[in-house]
Amino acid sequence: KLIFTTSLLLGTTITISSNHWIMAWAGLEINTLAILPLISKSHHPRAIEAATKYFLTQAAASALVLFSSMTNAWHTGQWDITQLTHPTSCLILTSAIAMKLGLVPFHFWFPEVLQGSPLTTGLLLSTVMKFPPITLFFMTSPSLNQTLLMLMAILSAALGGWMGLNQTQIRKILAFSSISHLGWMTIIISYSPKLTLLNFYLYTLMTAAVFLTLNSFKTLKLSTLMTTWTKTPALSAMLFLTLLSLAGLPPLTGFLPKWLIIQELTKQDMITAAVTISMLSLLGLFFYPRLAYCATITLPPHTTNHMKQWRTNKPVSAMIAILITMSTMLLPIS
């Protein structure tokens, strides 16, 4: 585990600090290879399948990254990441990074992989593994094709909302929530890349809080989430707030990136895009409160197949406390 986590950190660091395309590609490869054993650790067939799907998509995306940078080097004669100027290589790079991130139309692998991996690995997959591709987006953002990015962003917000509505598996719901958040990050990348990074950091905070809370509850389905309120009631109540923050409700942290992104879009005269993506985030506002509803508001029916969990006096870890506090109280930093 130590080797794999250090390799993850190493790959991420190599990618985000590189200027040369080959170094960035090498960092992405190290990342992929380091996360694979963490996905397939449980030796469950579902986990092995998830690892295989992950490997295939990431290998294809890496090959496309390499291909686009080689095309660019062929036409311009240099390998600098920030100097990606050739339109064909820009298009190929956009689709490659969309594959890496799981943006629509390349999103199909992400819910499956997240469903097959344990919660802590799922947290790594939806936060740490998204960071290097987003930094590549950040570095190449002036030259990317804005129409394609806009289209992919709105489709991601739409499909991430729609497909999350019908799920009962919590990890799949979080996967679709990740897809719609990535849509919000992509829509703004060519206008104000700093906002993309801010959105990513706050999303990482909130997702980490949710995943770690669920990990301490040991819940994977909505039906088991219903019985956890007896275990640690205070943590359940705070999970409620964190989920609403992830949905982007005003007094909480999650509202901040949405607010700033809509403001920036209206500054750029993209009123229709702003209205569309705001309307599509209402879809997410259905399934986050459903999770929250199952976690705190409802009492499950007293049937024999639902055993109440014992309340333990085990203290909540300081990490979860800090993350939950930050993912609910950070709106004033705007």
Side-chain angles (χ1 to χ4, degrees):
K1 258 190 185 171
L2 183 68
I3 293 176
F4 296 141
T5 42
T6 40
S7 311
L8 268 180
L9 289 173
L10 174 76
T12 309
T13 316
I14 287 178
T15 304
I16 65 183
S17 58
S18 60
N19 287 317
H20 195 290
W21 272 113
I22 299 288
M23 283 298 280
W25 171 81
L28 290 171
E29 284 297 299
I30 294 174
N31 253 359
T32 305
L33 293 177
I35 197 87
L36 281 174
L38 295 178
I39 300 176
S40 58
K41 193 177 64 192
S42 61
H43 294 305
H44 190 274
R46 180 67 61 85
I48 306 292
E49 182 189 347
T52 313
K53 283 176 180 168
Y54 185 76
F55 173 72
L56 291 173
T57 47
Q58 298 298 313
S62 289
L64 281 178
V65 167
L66 212 51
F67 181 52
S68 82
S69 53
M70 279 170 67
T71 314
N72 190 56
W74 179 259
H75 282 281
T76 60
Q78 41 77 25
W79 287 90
D80 195 5
I81 292 186
T82 49
Q83 304 292 324
L84 189 77
T85 48
H86 194 254
T88 315
S89 50
C90 286
L91 276 174
I92 297 174
L93 180 85
T94 310
S95 52
I97 293 194
M99 262 175 102
K100 281 261 173 218
L101 289 172
L103 280 169
V104 175
F106 309 106
H107 64 287
F108 294 101
W109 61 273
F110 189 50
E112 305 287 329
V113 170
L114 214 61
Q115 182 55 35
S117 49
L119 279 170
T120 40
T121 312
L123 171 62
L124 286 178
L125 277 172
S126 45
T127 56
V128 181
M129 300 302 289
K130 306 268 187 226
F131 189 45
I134 281 187
T135 49
L136 287 181
F137 253 172
F138 185 84
M139 288 191 276
T140 55
S141 58
S143 51
L144 293 176
N145 186 340
Q146 294 180 351
T147 324
L148 179 66
L149 286 175
M150 181 68 57
L151 195 65
M152 288 202 314
I154 287 179
L155 278 175
S156 296
L159 280 178
W162 261 312
M163 295 169 79
L165 295 181
N166 209 12
Q167 303 292 337
T168 55
Q169 299 284 345
I170 296 177
R171 285 171 294 184
K172 277 197 175 163
I173 293 181
L174 286 169
F176 288 119
S177 105
S178 175
I179 291 172
S180 57
H181 274 276
L182 282 169
W184 278 89
M185 292 174 217
T186 317
I187 200 166
I188 202 67
I189 185 83
S190 45
Y191 302 104
S192 167
K194 286 177 184 163
L195 278 186
T196 300
L197 282 186
L198 173 79
N199 193 346
F200 179 72
Y201 295 145
L202 293 180
Y203 163 73
T204 303
L205 266 182
M206 298 182 286
T207 313
V210 171
F211 266 109
L212 291 174
T213 309
L214 292 172
N215 193 36
S216 71
F217 282 160
K218 301 278 180 285
T219 47
L220 298 173
K221 291 199 294 293
L222 285 179
S223 54
T224 48
L225 189 63
M226 282 188 173
T227 61
T228 54
W229 64 272
T230 48
K231 203 173 178 181
T232 39
L235 191 55
S236 296
M238 291 311 288
L239 176 65
F240 174 71
L241 282 181
T242 314
L243 285 164
L244 291 185
S245 174
L246 208 51
L249 286 185
L252 306 164
T253 309
F255 179 57
L256 168 63
K258 287 189 166 49
W259 179 22
L260 293 177
I261 284 176
I262 289 174
Q263 187 184 352
E264 183 64 34
L265 284 176
T266 42
K267 269 185 202 164
Q268 302 282 353
D269 268 349
M270 313 212 355
I271 313 291
T272 27
V275 170
T276 315
I277 202 160
S278 320
M279 288 299 181
L280 290 172
S281 73
L282 288 176
L283 289 166
L285 205 55
F286 177 80
F287 59 78
Y288 294 117
R290 192 177 63 171
L291 271 172
Y293 195 77
C294 289
T296 52
I297 306 174
T298 51
L299 286 181
H302 291 289
T303 49
T304 45
N305 60 357
H306 270 311
M307 290 292 290
K308 289 278 189 299
Q309 300 203 24
W310 285 91
R311 180 185 297 201
T312 51
N313 280 334
K314 193 179 66 176
V316 177
S317 77
M319 188 71 189
I320 299 182
I322 294 169
L323 282 171
I324 283 185
T325 313
M326 288 177 76
S327 57
T328 47
M329 311 269 183
L330 272 191
L331 188 66
I333 66 166
S334 60

